Amino acid sequence: MVHPRSTVTIEQTQVGNKVVLRVAGRMDAENAAQFERQCESCIARGFTSLVIDLNDLTYVSSMGLRSFVAAAKKLRDKGGDLRICRLTGLVRQVFEITRLNQVFPPHDSVESALLEG
Amino acid sequence: MTLVAKAESLGPATEFVRKGAREANLPESRIGELDLLIEEILMNIARYAYPEDAPGIVTVSYSIPLPGELALEVGDQGVEFDPLTASPPDLTLDLAQRPIGGLGILLLQTFAKSLTYRREQGWNRLRFGIVANP
């Protein structure tokens, strides 16, 4: 049974040769793999540059963080990258504590994440 | 409450401690941290405390020592593990060198107030608190 506490929705938009994934809700042990699968599906379709909009993500645990790192490593192996933007609240705090904000320097907007590189 | 030490127990454990948070009048802003703490502890027990083919139990209890303060205890009968003595992850590594996991204990040590551990008659007992105004 999937418990009601645990929901994440991932909305996908293609912008040129990049894909923006808008992740909303909660990323925890029960659903973090969903994000990783979505990234893998993008890679399988030839997209290796992903922008992850976390403005509406309210919660992320270490299992969620694992999926960011795992997906970013896969993208890097393909010569691509993963960019994070619009961190807020607890999610921003968690990225700062774990210093993943240095691995993924956060962008303030989707537009600036798309423009870089 | 007593649960099987499996990921599937995360939902009921979270609902249980949230009930405690409501009784302690913790503000909504503390609930995310409470969820995070219970998830990190429970998932650590589910993944490492017991043999994969023989999951054991985990107990979760709470008390309210003062209004605006929630005290929690999580117990398991798995391998002895004191998260207070766990080696900290190297946060200076870049993406290529970073291990995929290993950040849960750091989050636990950061968000839990007054985190204590004791090994008692085959039980790991982890105690910590959440307060309305840290």
Side-chain angles (χ1 to χ4, degrees), chain B residues 24-35:
Chain B
N25 283 323
L26 292 187
E28 199 57 37
S29 56
R30 296 272 85 78
I31 305 301
E33 294 173 20
L34 177 64
D35 287 1

Side-chain angles (χ1 to χ4, degrees), chain A residues 47-62:
Chain A
F47 295 102
T48 56
S49 192
L50 304 187
V51 170
I52 316 299
D53 180 1
L54 299 182
N55 191 56
D56 295 322
L57 188 72
T58 56
Y59 176 93
V60 66
S61 67
S62 66

